[in-house]
Structures are given as C-alpha cells and as structure tokens.
C-alpha cells in the first residue's frame, strides 16, 4: 500500500508539472487489484452471476411488453417485493411495469444514491406523494406503520438487510451515507484523498464550498459503458455482441475509454437535483457512441 501511494504521489507531481493545478480530481479504484486470487475468482463469479440475472430479467421484461432501459431492474424489484407495493400493500402487475416508477427510499436531494439498496418499485402517484420524505417521516405511512413493517419484513428474505434498514429506520439518511461511503472510506482511498487534499490545499477535499475530489466506483462506470454499448467500440473482428461488450483489460484503449466516461461523472454525481440515471450532456447524449468512437479511433493511451 505504501508503494502504491508513493507511486500515486509521484504521478500527481508529474501531472501537475504537465498540466498545472487541477480544478478537481476523480478517483476510481480497481477493486480486483487488491484481492487475493481466491477472492478475485469469487468476486468474478459474483459479477458473472449478476450479469446473467440482469440479462435474463431484461429478456423476460421484454416478453411482458416492457422495453425501457430500466425494465429489467423493475422486474427484479417487483419480484423482490413479492409483486406488491411495499408502501401501500396494493398488488403490482408484471404487465404494467412500464407504468410503475423506481422510487428512492432516501431521496437524491438528501444524499440518496442511485443504487439498488435505495430503490423500490411503486406507482407514480405514491412516488410524487412521498416527495422528499424517508418512509419513517412520511405521513401516508404513520397510521399504517405496523402493517408497512410487516410487509417489509415479509420480503426481508428477498431484500438486502441494508435496504430493510433504510425502509424502516428513522436514521435512514445517516445510514445510507455510511453504506455508500464504504467504497470511499476504504483505507487506501481515504489516504489517497488525504494526499490530494494536502498537496493542493483543499480542506478535506473541499475548497470554497465546492467538492474537489469525487470517488466513483468501477461498477458505475461499467453500467454506463454497458448502457451505451461503449465496450463494443473496441470489439475485435468476428466477435459476437456479448463478447464485444466484455471489458478487455489487456487493451489499453479500455482504460482510455474509462477515463473519458469518468470525465463526465462529477457534475452528475454532485447534482442533488438529478432525476434520472446518468445521461451525457447535450448534444453528446444524442449520439454517445459516435462521440466516443471519434476519440477512440485516434487516442493512443499512455500507461
């Protein structure tokens, strides 16, 4: 770890020499690089399993007439909730997935992340009605709290413990910060942020009220690459689409592609009013693959 942080500090010196003091810094940590072989294999098996589950859910949602990009996620939430709205107890229907909404247990405006542990499937009406509340504060649930708790606990076998805690706790806002900060507070991440703050004179990564250091997860960048089919820009001859969508870590251009995606993340991540999963800014959003392809064809990354 000392060696890695020393290398990091030296790289910062070199980047500052070339480009001057940065306006902000984005860190992405490669989790596998710090794992033993056994853990790495187990983690890869988990990723493969989740990818198959996501793909199967998308395909099944399509047969039900739901074709939106988040239809597979909606179907997974529907099943985890045993086909009911956790808030009202009313039944939900597979054939109506397009009409339901993914609701944030802890609203984005209060620091709630775009993560499965913070998602429930509900109706547009209840999503609008809940507004900026967490469940424990919501008037709608106060007169039926015991029934609501029973519904959540009845689904606890399908829901992660963290999600159950967010649904039931009066401290959900603080809890979600602890849960989502785990990646950021990993020891090497914490030390890397300290080095950045000391080097560039930022108090705890903040300068004049503006956050200067953003930590992103590899999972988020992977989701964005998948959503916009960016990995396939680097596909080899004769590859089928599934092969093309896998990240080839031996191809340095994939690291360049990651860096280009990461460039767009801080503005979106630090926007407390964002309403949707990540979108590129206009006019890039009109044709993201064309935009990235124009760079990938001429970029020669330096490791």
């Amino acid at each position: 770890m000392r060696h890695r942080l020393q290398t990091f500090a030296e790289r910062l010196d070199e980047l500052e020499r070339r480009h001057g003091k940065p306006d902000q810094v984005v860190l992405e940590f490669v989790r596998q690089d710090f794992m033993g072989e056994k853990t790495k294999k187990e983690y890869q098996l988990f990723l493969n399993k989740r990818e198959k589950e996501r793909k199967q859910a998308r395909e099944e949602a399509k047969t039900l007439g739901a074709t939106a990009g988040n239809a597979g996620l909606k179907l997974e939430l529907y099943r985890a909730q045993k086909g009911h709205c956790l808030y009202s107890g009313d039944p939900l229907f597979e054939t109506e997935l397009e009409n339901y909404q993914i609701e944030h247990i802890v609203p984005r405006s209060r620091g709630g992340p775009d993560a499965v542990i913070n998602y429930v499937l509900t109706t547009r009406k209840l999503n609008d009605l809940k507004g900026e509340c967490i469940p424990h504060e919501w008037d709608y649930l106060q007169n039926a709290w015991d029934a609501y708790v029973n519904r959540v606990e009845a689904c606890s076998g399908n829901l992660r413990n963290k999600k159950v805690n967010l649904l039931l706790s009066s401290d959900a806002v603080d809890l979600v910060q602890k849960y989502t900060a785990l990646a950021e507070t990993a020891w090497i991440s914490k030390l890397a942020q300290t080095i950045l703050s000391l080097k560039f004179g930022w108090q705890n990564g903040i300068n004049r009220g503006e956050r200067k250091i953003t930590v992103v997860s590899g999972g988020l960048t992977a989701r964005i690459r998948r959503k916009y089919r960016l990995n396939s820009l680097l596909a080899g001859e004769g590859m089928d689409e599934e092969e093309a969508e896998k990240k080839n870590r031996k191809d340095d251009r994939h690291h360049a592609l990651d860096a280009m995606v990461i460039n767009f993340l801080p503005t979106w991540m630090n926007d407390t009013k964002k309403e949707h999963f990540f979108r590129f800014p206009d006019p890039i959003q009109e044709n993201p693959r064309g935009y990235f392809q124009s760079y990938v064809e001429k970029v020669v990354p330096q490791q």
Side-chain angles (χ1 to χ4, degrees):
M1 197 154 68
R2 187 183 301 116
H3 171 265
R4 289 163 195 266
L5 290 168
Q6 179 66 36
T7 302
F8 175 61
E10 290 170 359
R11 179 57 55 89
L12 287 176
D13 290 339
E14 175 64 15
L15 288 170
E16 185 180 25
R17 186 185 66 76
R18 288 189 202 174
H19 306 290
K21 182 177 178 179
D23 182 56
Q24 57 182 307
V25 176
V26 189
L27 297 172
E28 183 196 44
F29 290 91
V30 185
R31 195 175 349 184
Q32 295 97 320
D33 200 31
F34 299 94
M35 293 179 177
E37 284 304 313
K38 181 182 176 184
T39 309
K40 201 182 291 187
K41 287 178 182 176
E42 290 173 351
Y43 179 58
Q44 192 57 52
L45 287 172
F46 166 76
L47 291 181
N48 293 344
K49 178 173 177 284
R50 279 300 297 137
E51 183 53 36
K52 285 180 182 176
E53 290 171 348
R54 279 193 291 262
K55 184 178 179 181
Q56 184 176 345
R58 287 194 297 269
E59 291 172 353
E60 291 180 13
K62 205 174 287 185
T63 65
L64 295 167
T67 57
N70 61 1
L73 175 58
K74 284 183 176 180
L75 184 59
E76 288 187 299
L77 292 172
Y78 167 87
R79 289 172 175 169
Q81 295 170 202
K82 296 187 176 180
H84 285 78
C85 173
L86 293 177
Y87 295 143
S88 68
D90 293 336
L92 303 173
F93 302 96
E94 285 185 330
T95 52
E96 296 293 318
L97 286 177
E98 294 270 319
N99 298 323
Y100 300 137
Q101 292 191 340
I102 295 174
E103 198 274 327
H104 291 69
I105 301 168
V106 177
R108 287 194 185 99
S109 60
R110 299 176 69 178
D114 284 293
V116 174
I117 63 163
N118 196 41
Y119 291 156
V120 294
L121 190 67
T122 188
T123 61
R124 179 183 296 273
K125 178 182 177 181
L126 286 180
N127 193 5
D128 292 341
L129 194 62
K130 181 169 171 286
E132 306 301 304
C133 297
I134 60 172
H136 202 273
E137 302 166 345
W138 191 14
D139 291 341
Y140 175 85
L141 292 175
Q142 296 313 302
N143 295 328
W145 183 256
D146 289 344
Y148 165 68
V149 171
N150 289 338
R151 286 194 296 273
V152 172
E153 290 181 345
C155 296
S156 60
N158 300 336
L159 307 175
R160 292 172 62 183
N161 288 339
K162 290 177 181 177
K163 180 180 283 193
V164 172
N165 291 340
L166 294 181
L167 286 164
L168 301 182
S169 175
S170 60
D171 297 321
V173 175
D174 291 334
L175 278 176
V176 84
Q177 294 302 319
K178 290 179 183 176
Y179 295 157
T180 55
L182 287 176
E184 292 186 26
T185 54
W187 187 232
I188 198 164
S189 172
K190 187 174 182 180
L191 293 176
Q193 291 179 73
T194 301
I195 288 171
L196 282 167
S197 296
L198 291 171
K199 179 169 179 56
F200 298 121
W202 299 330
Q203 187 71 34
N204 295 322
I206 295 172
N207 187 43
R208 297 180 182 176
E210 184 181 347
R211 189 178 179 87
K212 294 293 186 179
I213 304 172
T214 304
V215 178
V216 305
S217 72
L220 176 60
T221 54
R223 285 172 67 195
I224 293 169
R225 290 196 314 270
R226 279 197 304 269
K227 178 179 179 180
Y228 293 103
R229 297 181 51 246
L230 298 180
N231 288 341
S232 63
L233 294 175
L234 308 180
E237 289 290 331
M239 279 189 179
D240 61 33
E241 187 169 344
E242 191 169 337
E243 285 180 311
E245 280 302 307
K246 292 179 181 176
K247 180 173 178 177
N248 177 8
R249 294 187 181 278
K250 295 179 181 178
D251 185 341
D252 286 348
R253 294 178 305 159
H254 271 283
H255 301 292
L257 187 61
D258 261 352
M260 285 189 275
V261 170
I262 287 168
N263 179 66
F264 293 98
L265 290 178
T267 302
W268 173 76
M269 289 180 69
N270 297 324
D271 178 10
T272 58
K273 297 180 180 178
K274 59 181 179 286
E275 296 180 354
H276 305 287
F277 180 63
F278 177 83
R279 290 168 55 87
F280 289 106
D282 296 330
I284 297 170
Q285 181 63 27
E286 295 173 10
N287 184 18
R289 293 185 82 251
Y291 173 82
F292 280 95
Q293 188 167 21
S294 68
Y295 283 94
V296 164
E297 288 175 350
K298 61 188 178 185
V299 159
V300 181
Q302 293 180 334
Q303 287 285 67

